[in-house]
Structure formats: C-alpha cells, structure tokens
C-alpha cells in the first residue's frame, strides 16, 4: 500500500509517488500534488489536477487543483475537500455522472418481446 489519505509521507514507496523530500512549508509543485493525490485515492484514477470529482458529503464538484493538502500532527499528510467544514477525504469523492461507466452496446440480433 502506498500513501493513504492519512499515512505518513515516508510510507510511500511507489516510483510515481517519489515525495520523500517533500516539505509542507513550501508550495506544492503541480506534479507533486498529483502524485500525492494518485497515491492517496486508491479507488479512482487521477490523470491530471483538472480531473473532476463530486464530494458526497457537501455535494460540491471539485478538481485536484482545489483540494487541500495539510500536514497533521505527527507528520502525516492529509488531503481534504476545499469546502470549509467538510471533513471528506478521497474515499468520499466520486466520478461526476457516468464518467467511469462503460457505454452499453445492444446486440442487433438480440430477441425482444417488442419485435413480434
């Protein structure tokens, strides 16, 4: 397991999440934030910081650029919804609409009770 939403940065061993030199007192580079987000969200793919998700707790559409990264006591990093007071983490953010569903294809030879 790489980096969960609340795991210490040192636990990230994935090559795509090479943030061992990351310091919270400096601004995150976009590629660092994307790597952190990709490692923290184990259920959904983040291809860019412009990808959109919907927070199920506050019903807000958010992008990776808007997400907040915080250093918690003990040195762990956490990623949060940017809505003030919303406690959501990556497991609470879902694809917008049917963005991840595969299109349904009908077979033309399929029998139908309506084609009698």
């Amino acid at each position: 397991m790489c980096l969960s939403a609340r795991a210490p940065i040192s636990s990230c061993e994935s090559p795509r999440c090479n943030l061992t030199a990351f310091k919270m007192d400096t601004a995150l580079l976009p590629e660092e934030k994307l790597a952190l987000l990709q490692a923290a969200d184990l259920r959904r793919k983040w291809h860019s910081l412009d990808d959109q998700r919907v927070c199920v707790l506050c019903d807000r559409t958010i992008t990776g650029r808007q997400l907040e990264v915080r250093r918690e006591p003990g040195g762990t990093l956490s990623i949060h919804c940017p809505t003030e007071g919303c406690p959501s983490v990556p497991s609470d953010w879902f694809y917008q609409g049917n963005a991840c569903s595969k299109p349904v294809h009908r077979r033309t030879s399929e029998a139908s009770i309506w084609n009698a």
Side-chain angles (χ1 to χ4, degrees):
M1 182 176 190
C2 185
L3 179 70
S4 70
R6 298 191 192 284
I9 192 77
S10 60
S11 71
C12 183
E13 299 168 2
S14 170
R16 75 174 188 189
C17 185
N18 186 15
L19 298 177
T20 54
F22 174 73
K23 297 189 186 316
M24 275 305 295
D25 55 346
T26 61
L28 278 172
L29 294 174
E31 55 271 13
E32 291 174 327
K33 188 172 186 179
L34 179 60
L36 182 62
L37 186 55
Q38 288 170 335
D41 194 344
L42 301 176
R43 295 182 179 159
R44 283 158 289 281
K45 303 272 188 215
W46 288 85
H47 301 288
S48 81
L49 291 178
D50 295 322
D51 289 354
Q52 294 184 345
R53 302 291 183 271
V54 176
C55 175
V56 296
L57 299 184
C58 69
D59 200 34
R60 177 178 173 179
T61 300
I62 54 178
T63 67
R65 293 186 191 284
Q66 296 171 314
L67 297 172
E68 295 179 4
V69 177
R70 300 180 199 150
R71 183 172 295 280
E72 303 293 341
T76 62
L77 295 178
S78 60
I79 301 175
H80 297 273
C81 177
T83 302
E84 188 170 333
C86 182
S88 72
V89 293
S91 61
D92 299 314
W93 308 328
F94 293 88
Y95 292 112
Q96 189 171 21
N98 292 336
C100 67
S101 61
K102 295 180 181 177
V104 177
H105 297 288
R106 287 191 155 178
R107 291 183 277 171
T108 54
S109 63
E110 187 175 338
S112 171
I113 61 170
W114 306 110
N115 294 336

